[in-house]
Amino acid sequence: GAVVSQHPSWVICKSGTSVKIECRSLDFQATTMFWYRQFPKQSLMLMATSNEGSKATYEQGVEKDKFLINHASLTLSTLTVTSAHPEDSSFYICSARDSRLRAGGYTFGSGTRLTVV
Amino acid sequence: DAKTTQPTSMDCAEGRAANLPCNHSTISGNEYVYWYRQIHSQGPQYIIHGLKNNETNEMASLIITEDRKSSTLILPHATLRDTAVYYCIVRGGMNRDDKIIFGKGTRLHILP
């Protein structure tokens, strides 16, 4: 089945630094990937849609200069949290669509827990 | 905004069937009902989906009412590992790159 690998699974960084999170589709090509953020006890909130070879589409209220998304290949999308602050601490999750799959079609990564200190 | 309404939480005894309801009264004709679950601190996991017919796989069964305004996810023999938040999602067909918008889901507690 389709596997999406997300790395790192957790990261602690100092306030003001930038953090890059990778999302890879391991056995399929994904022209579209999605990035979500989840705060404790809350649901997943869609941040942006990552399109291979073109600019990402951000949801309303998400700062594109703060959350840089790059989808340079059909198997890799990256999310960079720039100048991170404690309020950016959250659980970040990516998903990718495998057009080969009949069932559901979307596979999610295992998430990255970001803690900004 | 999410197009579905689910109870905030439910309890179910281990070994019994867990029945999770979902209302989607504004569903349109080409929209599917999908169910995902999220175990604590993990990414969501696909469970099942359907259009209008009832569906069953190795994980669960999905019962969709005839008017398609509601559905029920059934876990036939719940185990402690089924404790999770279950999300009912309505979206376009499988061939479209529709983004998945999550509602608040149902927090299912399986009791020993």
Side-chain angles (χ1 to χ4, degrees):
Chain A
V3 177
V4 171
S5 174
Q6 195 171 335
H7 179 81
S9 56
W10 62 270
V11 58
I12 301 173
C13 73
K14 291 185 177 180
S15 187
T17 62
S18 296
V19 174
K20 180 184 287 188
I21 302 170
E22 293 187 348
C23 181
R24 294 181 183 272
S25 54
L26 295 186
D27 52 356
F28 66 100
Q29 294 182 333
T31 56
T32 304
M33 293 186 177
F34 302 90
W35 287 96
Y36 294 83
R37 179 169 54 178
Q38 185 176 34
F39 293 108
K41 303 289 186 181
Q42 295 186 22
S43 184
L44 288 80
M45 185 194 79
L46 180 66
M47 299 175 67
T49 301
S50 171
N51 304 298
E52 188 269 335
S54 64
K55 291 183 179 180
T57 304
Y58 290 82
E59 296 297 304
Q60 190 174 8
V62 178
E63 300 175 59
K64 60 181 181 181
D65 295 330
K66 171 79 170 173
F67 300 98
L68 301 179
I69 292 173
N70 184 281
H71 195 155
S73 76
L74 288 172
T75 59
L76 174 64
S77 176
T78 60
L79 168 69
T80 300
V81 183
T82 63
S83 185
H85 291 285
E87 57 265 31
D88 298 322
S89 298
S90 188
F91 191 52
Y92 293 86
I93 305 167
C94 70
S95 75
R97 181 178 177 271
D98 182 1
S99 59
R100 304 170 305 171
L101 291 182
R102 173 187 180 276
Y106 287 88
T107 302
F108 289 81
S110 55
T112 297
R113 186 160 303 282
L114 170 64
T115 303
V116 184
V117 297
Chain B
D1 290 339
K3 302 178 182 179
T4 63
T5 303
Q6 299 177 251
T8 302
S9 66
M10 294 182 62
D11 292 337
C12 178
E14 187 178 17
R16 304 297 293 270
N19 296 278
L20 291 88
C22 179
N23 286 322
H24 31 79
S25 58
T26 61
I27 191 170
S28 60
N30 65 345
E31 289 183 317
Y32 287 72
V33 179
Y34 286 79
W35 283 84
Y36 289 83
R37 73 179 182 184
Q38 186 181 24
I39 296 171
H40 182 63
S41 293
Q42 297 182 23
Q45 176 190 24
Y46 166 82
I47 301 173
I48 199 168
H49 76 284
L51 182 62
K52 55 182 179 181
N53 297 322
N54 297 337
E55 302 288 344
T56 295
N57 62 20
E58 63 279 4
M59 290 183 67
S61 295
L62 174 60
I63 308 298
I64 303 175
T65 58
E66 192 169 344
D67 63 8
R68 302 209 321 126
K69 293 185 177 182
S70 65
S71 61
T72 301
L73 177 74
I74 301 173
L75 307 177
H77 304 287
T79 70
L80 296 178
R81 288 178 295 180
D82 293 321
T83 292
V85 178
Y86 288 75
Y87 296 98
C88 169
I89 294 164
V90 166
R91 54 176 288 263
M94 293 173 288
N95 293 322
R96 296 178 57 186
D97 283 330
D98 283 346
K99 50 192 178 184
I100 297 179
I101 304 298
F102 288 85
K104 295 182 179 180
T106 295
R107 188 171 297 273
L108 177 66
H109 299 277
I110 305 301
L111 307 175

